[in-house]
PDB file of all heavy atoms in Angstrom:
ATOM      1  N   ASP A  12     -11.609   2.223 -24.503  1.00 97.00           N
ATOM      2  CA  ASP A  12     -12.629   2.842 -25.348  1.00 97.00           C
ATOM      3  C   ASP A  12     -12.434   4.364 -25.328  1.00 97.00           C
ATOM      4  O   ASP A  12     -12.898   5.035 -24.413  1.00 97.00           O
ATOM      5  CB  ASP A  12     -14.015   2.463 -24.826  1.00 97.00           C
ATOM      6  CG  ASP A  12     -15.152   2.938 -25.698  1.00 97.00           C
ATOM      7  OD1 ASP A  12     -14.999   3.968 -26.392  1.00 97.00           O
ATOM      8  OD2 ASP A  12     -16.214   2.286 -25.684  1.00 97.00           O
ATOM      9  N   PRO A  13     -11.743   4.915 -26.333  1.00 96.00           N
ATOM     10  CA  PRO A  13     -11.437   6.351 -26.331  1.00 96.00           C
ATOM     11  C   PRO A  13     -12.678   7.253 -26.326  1.00 96.00           C
ATOM     12  O   PRO A  13     -12.663   8.313 -25.701  1.00 96.00           O
ATOM     13  CB  PRO A  13     -10.638   6.561 -27.612  1.00 96.00           C
ATOM     14  CG  PRO A  13     -10.189   5.220 -28.046  1.00 96.00           C
ATOM     15  CD  PRO A  13     -11.147   4.231 -27.480  1.00 96.00           C
ATOM     16  N   ILE A  14     -13.736   6.839 -26.989  1.00 97.00           N
ATOM     17  CA  ILE A  14     -14.958   7.664 -27.031  1.00 97.00           C
ATOM     18  C   ILE A  14     -15.616   7.702 -25.661  1.00 97.00           C
ATOM     19  O   ILE A  14     -15.975   8.772 -25.149  1.00 97.00           O
ATOM     20  CB  ILE A  14     -15.926   7.144 -28.116  1.00 97.00           C
ATOM     21  CG1 ILE A  14     -15.293   7.339 -29.494  1.00 97.00           C
ATOM     22  CG2 ILE A  14     -17.276   7.842 -28.024  1.00 97.00           C
ATOM     23  CD1 ILE A  14     -16.015   6.662 -30.622  1.00 97.00           C
ATOM     24  N   LYS A  15     -15.762   6.545 -25.052  1.00 97.00           N
ATOM     25  CA  LYS A  15     -16.357   6.477 -23.711  1.00 97.00           C
ATOM     26  C   LYS A  15     -15.481   7.219 -22.709  1.00 97.00           C
ATOM     27  O   LYS A  15     -15.976   7.891 -21.810  1.00 97.00           O
ATOM     28  CB  LYS A  15     -16.536   5.016 -23.295  1.00 97.00           C
ATOM     29  CG  LYS A  15     -17.452   4.838 -22.112  1.00 97.00           C
ATOM     30  CD  LYS A  15     -17.556   3.381 -21.705  1.00 97.00           C
ATOM     31  CE  LYS A  15     -18.487   2.613 -22.597  1.00 97.00           C
ATOM     32  NZ  LYS A  15     -18.741   1.244 -22.078  1.00 97.00           N
ATOM     33  N   ARG A  16     -14.155   7.125 -22.881  1.00 96.00           N
ATOM     34  CA  ARG A  16     -13.223   7.834 -21.993  1.00 96.00           C
ATOM     35  C   ARG A  16     -13.482   9.331 -22.036  1.00 96.00           C
ATOM     36  O   ARG A  16     -13.538   9.988 -21.005  1.00 96.00           O
ATOM     37  CB  ARG A  16     -11.777   7.530 -22.400  1.00 96.00           C
ATOM     38  CG  ARG A  16     -10.767   8.226 -21.519  1.00 96.00           C
ATOM     39  CD  ARG A  16      -9.431   8.342 -22.244  1.00 96.00           C
ATOM     40  NE  ARG A  16      -8.609   9.319 -21.614  1.00 96.00           N
ATOM     41  CZ  ARG A  16      -8.633  10.631 -21.863  1.00 96.00           C
ATOM     42  NH1 ARG A  16      -9.445  11.132 -22.761  1.00 96.00           N
ATOM     43  NH2 ARG A  16      -7.844  11.458 -21.225  1.00 96.00           N
ATOM     44  N   GLU A  17     -13.634   9.871 -23.233  1.00 96.00           N
ATOM     45  CA  GLU A  17     -13.884  11.310 -23.384  1.00 96.00           C
ATOM     46  C   GLU A  17     -15.199  11.710 -22.716  1.00 96.00           C
ATOM     47  O   GLU A  17     -15.269  12.726 -22.031  1.00 96.00           O
ATOM     48  CB  GLU A  17     -13.899  11.676 -24.874  1.00 96.00           C
ATOM     49  CG  GLU A  17     -13.954  13.162 -25.126  1.00 96.00           C
ATOM     50  CD  GLU A  17     -12.725  13.913 -24.639  1.00 96.00           C
ATOM     51  OE1 GLU A  17     -11.614  13.364 -24.655  1.00 96.00           O
ATOM     52  OE2 GLU A  17     -12.888  15.079 -24.221  1.00 96.00           O
ATOM     53  N   GLU A  18     -16.230  10.898 -22.886  1.00 98.00           N
ATOM     54  CA  GLU A  18     -17.543  11.184 -22.286  1.00 98.00           C
ATOM     55  C   GLU A  18     -17.495  11.166 -20.767  1.00 98.00           C
ATOM     56  O   GLU A  18     -18.184  11.943 -20.112  1.00 98.00           O
ATOM     57  CB  GLU A  18     -18.569  10.158 -22.767  1.00 98.00           C
ATOM     58  CG  GLU A  18     -18.894  10.247 -24.238  1.00 98.00           C
ATOM     59  CD  GLU A  18     -19.734   9.070 -24.737  1.00 98.00           C
ATOM     60  OE1 GLU A  18     -20.052   8.154 -23.949  1.00 98.00           O
ATOM     61  OE2 GLU A  18     -20.056   9.073 -25.942  1.00 98.00           O
ATOM     62  N   LEU A  19     -16.692  10.282 -20.210  1.00 98.00           N
ATOM     63  CA  LEU A  19     -16.641  10.100 -18.750  1.00 98.00           C
ATOM     64  C   LEU A  19     -15.594  10.968 -18.060  1.00 98.00           C
ATOM     65  O   LEU A  19     -15.486  10.939 -16.836  1.00 98.00           O
ATOM     66  CB  LEU A  19     -16.360   8.626 -18.428  1.00 98.00           C
ATOM     67  CG  LEU A  19     -17.462   7.640 -18.817  1.00 98.00           C
ATOM     68  CD1 LEU A  19     -16.952   6.213 -18.692  1.00 98.00           C
ATOM     69  CD2 LEU A  19     -18.691   7.858 -17.963  1.00 98.00           C
ATOM     70  N   HIS A  20     -14.844  11.745 -18.827  1.00 97.00           N
ATOM     71  CA  HIS A  20     -13.746  12.521 -18.244  1.00 97.00           C
ATOM     72  C   HIS A  20     -14.183  13.414 -17.072  1.00 97.00           C
ATOM     73  O   HIS A  20     -13.523  13.399 -16.021  1.00 97.00           O
ATOM     74  CB  HIS A  20     -13.036  13.336 -19.328  1.00 97.00           C
ATOM     75  CG  HIS A  20     -11.774  13.959 -18.857  1.00 97.00           C
ATOM     76  ND1 HIS A  20     -10.648  13.225 -18.548  1.00 97.00           N
ATOM     77  CD2 HIS A  20     -11.456  15.254 -18.609  1.00 97.00           C
ATOM     78  CE1 HIS A  20      -9.705  14.040 -18.133  1.00 97.00           C
ATOM     79  NE2 HIS A  20     -10.157  15.272 -18.162  1.00 97.00           N
ATOM     80  N   PRO A  21     -15.289  14.173 -17.174  1.00 97.00           N
ATOM     81  CA  PRO A  21     -15.688  15.009 -16.024  1.00 97.00           C
ATOM     82  C   PRO A  21     -15.982  14.191 -14.759  1.00 97.00           C
ATOM     83  O   PRO A  21     -15.588  14.580 -13.656  1.00 97.00           O
ATOM     84  CB  PRO A  21     -16.941  15.738 -16.515  1.00 97.00           C
ATOM     85  CG  PRO A  21     -16.842  15.708 -18.005  1.00 97.00           C
ATOM     86  CD  PRO A  21     -16.151  14.413 -18.340  1.00 97.00           C
ATOM     87  N   GLN A  22     -16.645  13.050 -14.923  1.00 98.00           N
ATOM     88  CA  GLN A  22     -16.957  12.208 -13.759  1.00 98.00           C
ATOM     89  C   GLN A  22     -15.678  11.601 -13.170  1.00 98.00           C
ATOM     90  O   GLN A  22     -15.562  11.457 -11.947  1.00 98.00           O
ATOM     91  CB  GLN A  22     -17.921  11.077 -14.145  1.00 98.00           C
ATOM     92  CG  GLN A  22     -19.287  11.570 -14.550  1.00 98.00           C
ATOM     93  CD  GLN A  22     -19.427  11.727 -16.058  1.00 98.00           C
ATOM     94  OE1 GLN A  22     -18.535  12.223 -16.736  1.00 98.00           O
ATOM     95  NE2 GLN A  22     -20.566  11.323 -16.591  1.00 98.00           N
ATOM     96  N   HIS A  23     -14.730  11.255 -14.029  1.00 97.00           N
ATOM     97  CA  HIS A  23     -13.431  10.739 -13.575  1.00 97.00           C
ATOM     98  C   HIS A  23     -12.717  11.787 -12.719  1.00 97.00           C
ATOM     99  O   HIS A  23     -12.210  11.478 -11.639  1.00 97.00           O
ATOM    100  CB  HIS A  23     -12.588  10.356 -14.797  1.00 97.00           C
ATOM    101  CG  HIS A  23     -11.147  10.126 -14.512  1.00 97.00           C
ATOM    102  ND1 HIS A  23     -10.676   9.022 -13.824  1.00 97.00           N
ATOM    103  CD2 HIS A  23     -10.050  10.859 -14.841  1.00 97.00           C
ATOM    104  CE1 HIS A  23      -9.366   9.095 -13.739  1.00 97.00           C
ATOM    105  NE2 HIS A  23      -8.951  10.191 -14.349  1.00 97.00           N
ATOM    106  N   LEU A  24     -12.690  13.028 -13.205  1.00 97.00           N
ATOM    107  CA  LEU A  24     -12.036  14.101 -12.438  1.00 97.00           C
ATOM    108  C   LEU A  24     -12.735  14.337 -11.111  1.00 97.00           C
ATOM    109  O   LEU A  24     -12.070  14.564 -10.085  1.00 97.00           O
ATOM    110  CB  LEU A  24     -11.991  15.389 -13.260  1.00 97.00           C
ATOM    111  CG  LEU A  24     -11.091  15.356 -14.493  1.00 97.00           C
ATOM    112  CD1 LEU A  24     -11.163  16.686 -15.233  1.00 97.00           C
ATOM    113  CD2 LEU A  24      -9.657  15.004 -14.140  1.00 97.00           C
ATOM    114  N   ASP A  25     -14.064  14.283 -11.074  1.00 97.00           N
ATOM    115  CA  ASP A  25     -14.809  14.415  -9.817  1.00 97.00           C
ATOM    116  C   ASP A  25     -14.405  13.315  -8.837  1.00 97.00           C
ATOM    117  O   ASP A  25     -14.211  13.571  -7.646  1.00 97.00           O
ATOM    118  CB  ASP A  25     -16.314  14.358 -10.058  1.00 97.00           C
ATOM    119  CG  ASP A  25     -16.867  15.599 -10.731  1.00 97.00           C
ATOM    120  OD1 ASP A  25     -16.166  16.640 -10.775  1.00 97.00           O
ATOM    121  OD2 ASP A  25     -18.016  15.531 -11.223  1.00 97.00           O
ATOM    122  N   HIS A  26     -14.301  12.090  -9.342  1.00 97.00           N
ATOM    123  CA  HIS A  26     -13.891  10.946  -8.509  1.00 97.00           C
ATOM    124  C   HIS A  26     -12.509  11.203  -7.907  1.00 97.00           C
ATOM    125  O   HIS A  26     -12.311  11.055  -6.700  1.00 97.00           O
ATOM    126  CB  HIS A  26     -13.888   9.670  -9.361  1.00 97.00           C
ATOM    127  CG  HIS A  26     -13.249   8.502  -8.707  1.00 97.00           C
ATOM    128  ND1 HIS A  26     -13.902   7.709  -7.798  1.00 97.00           N
ATOM    129  CD2 HIS A  26     -11.988   7.985  -8.812  1.00 97.00           C
ATOM    130  CE1 HIS A  26     -13.089   6.753  -7.375  1.00 97.00           C
ATOM    131  NE2 HIS A  26     -11.926   6.913  -7.980  1.00 97.00           N
ATOM    132  N   LEU A  27     -11.565  11.592  -8.758  1.00 97.00           N
ATOM    133  CA  LEU A  27     -10.202  11.835  -8.274  1.00 97.00           C
ATOM    134  C   LEU A  27     -10.159  12.971  -7.265  1.00 97.00           C
ATOM    135  O   LEU A  27      -9.497  12.864  -6.225  1.00 97.00           O
ATOM    136  CB  LEU A  27      -9.266  12.139  -9.443  1.00 97.00           C
ATOM    137  CG  LEU A  27      -8.997  11.003 -10.424  1.00 97.00           C
ATOM    138  CD1 LEU A  27      -8.051  11.488 -11.516  1.00 97.00           C
ATOM    139  CD2 LEU A  27      -8.433   9.784  -9.727  1.00 97.00           C
ATOM    140  N   ASN A  28     -10.850  14.054  -7.549  1.00 97.00           N
ATOM    141  CA  ASN A  28     -10.854  15.201  -6.627  1.00 97.00           C
ATOM    142  C   ASN A  28     -11.443  14.824  -5.278  1.00 97.00           C
ATOM    143  O   ASN A  28     -10.919  15.228  -4.229  1.00 97.00           O
ATOM    144  CB  ASN A  28     -11.604  16.374  -7.244  1.00 97.00           C
ATOM    145  CG  ASN A  28     -10.858  16.989  -8.404  1.00 97.00           C
ATOM    146  OD1 ASN A  28      -9.639  16.884  -8.499  1.00 97.00           O
ATOM    147  ND2 ASN A  28     -11.587  17.618  -9.307  1.00 97.00           N
ATOM    148  N   LYS A  29     -12.525  14.046  -5.282  1.00 97.00           N
ATOM    149  CA  LYS A  29     -13.158  13.619  -4.033  1.00 97.00           C
ATOM    150  C   LYS A  29     -12.177  12.824  -3.175  1.00 97.00           C
ATOM    151  O   LYS A  29     -12.004  13.111  -1.987  1.00 97.00           O
ATOM    152  CB  LYS A  29     -14.394  12.766  -4.345  1.00 97.00           C
ATOM    153  CG  LYS A  29     -15.013  12.108  -3.145  1.00 97.00           C
ATOM    154  CD  LYS A  29     -16.131  11.168  -3.559  1.00 97.00           C
ATOM    155  CE  LYS A  29     -16.601  10.328  -2.395  1.00 97.00           C
ATOM    156  NZ  LYS A  29     -17.601   9.332  -2.803  1.00 97.00           N
ATOM    157  N   PHE A  30     -11.512  11.844  -3.785  1.00 98.00           N
ATOM    158  CA  PHE A  30     -10.610  11.004  -3.004  1.00 98.00           C
ATOM    159  C   PHE A  30      -9.297  11.707  -2.675  1.00 98.00           C
ATOM    160  O   PHE A  30      -8.675  11.397  -1.658  1.00 98.00           O
ATOM    161  CB  PHE A  30     -10.410   9.650  -3.686  1.00 98.00           C
ATOM    162  CG  PHE A  30     -11.601   8.751  -3.474  1.00 98.00           C
ATOM    163  CD1 PHE A  30     -12.589   8.648  -4.432  1.00 98.00           C
ATOM    164  CD2 PHE A  30     -11.758   8.066  -2.285  1.00 98.00           C
ATOM    165  CE1 PHE A  30     -13.707   7.852  -4.227  1.00 98.00           C
ATOM    166  CE2 PHE A  30     -12.875   7.272  -2.062  1.00 98.00           C
ATOM    167  CZ  PHE A  30     -13.849   7.164  -3.037  1.00 98.00           C
ATOM    168  N   GLN A  31      -8.906  12.674  -3.479  1.00 97.00           N
ATOM    169  CA  GLN A  31      -7.724  13.463  -3.134  1.00 97.00           C
ATOM    170  C   GLN A  31      -8.015  14.320  -1.899  1.00 97.00           C
ATOM    171  O   GLN A  31      -7.178  14.425  -1.001  1.00 97.00           O
ATOM    172  CB  GLN A  31      -7.293  14.327  -4.308  1.00 97.00           C
ATOM    173  CG  GLN A  31      -5.935  14.968  -4.076  1.00 97.00           C
ATOM    174  CD  GLN A  31      -5.290  15.435  -5.357  1.00 97.00           C
ATOM    175  OE1 GLN A  31      -5.968  15.823  -6.299  1.00 97.00           O
ATOM    176  NE2 GLN A  31      -3.976  15.406  -5.401  1.00 97.00           N
ATOM    177  N   GLU A  32      -9.199  14.906  -1.840  1.00 97.00           N
ATOM    178  CA  GLU A  32      -9.592  15.701  -0.669  1.00 97.00           C
ATOM    179  C   GLU A  32      -9.641  14.846   0.593  1.00 97.00           C
ATOM    180  O   GLU A  32      -9.395  15.338   1.696  1.00 97.00           O
ATOM    181  CB  GLU A  32     -10.943  16.356  -0.905  1.00 97.00           C
ATOM    182  CG  GLU A  32     -10.896  17.499  -1.896  1.00 97.00           C
ATOM    183  CD  GLU A  32     -12.273  18.054  -2.236  1.00 97.00           C
ATOM    184  OE1 GLU A  32     -13.269  17.692  -1.569  1.00 97.00           O
ATOM    185  OE2 GLU A  32     -12.351  18.851  -3.184  1.00 97.00           O
ATOM    186  N   LEU A  33      -9.951  13.560   0.442  1.00 97.00           N
ATOM    187  CA  LEU A  33     -10.004  12.634   1.581  1.00 97.00           C
ATOM    188  C   LEU A  33      -8.616  12.100   1.958  1.00 97.00           C
ATOM    189  O   LEU A  33      -8.484  11.314   2.892  1.00 97.00           O
ATOM    190  CB  LEU A  33     -10.933  11.461   1.265  1.00 97.00           C
ATOM    191  CG  LEU A  33     -12.412  11.800   1.112  1.00 97.00           C
ATOM    192  CD1 LEU A  33     -13.178  10.579   0.596  1.00 97.00           C
ATOM    193  CD2 LEU A  33     -12.993  12.288   2.434  1.00 97.00           C
TER     194      LEU A  33
END
Side-chain angles (χ1 to χ4, degrees):
D12 186 332
I14 294 170
K15 195 182 281 188
R16 180 202 163 274
E17 188 64 32
E18 293 170 359
L19 294 169
H20 190 69
Q22 294 95 317
H23 166 72
L24 293 179
D25 288 345
H26 169 82
L27 293 180
N28 290 335
K29 172 186 170 185
F30 283 97
Q31 190 161 31
E32 288 174 10
L33 293 172

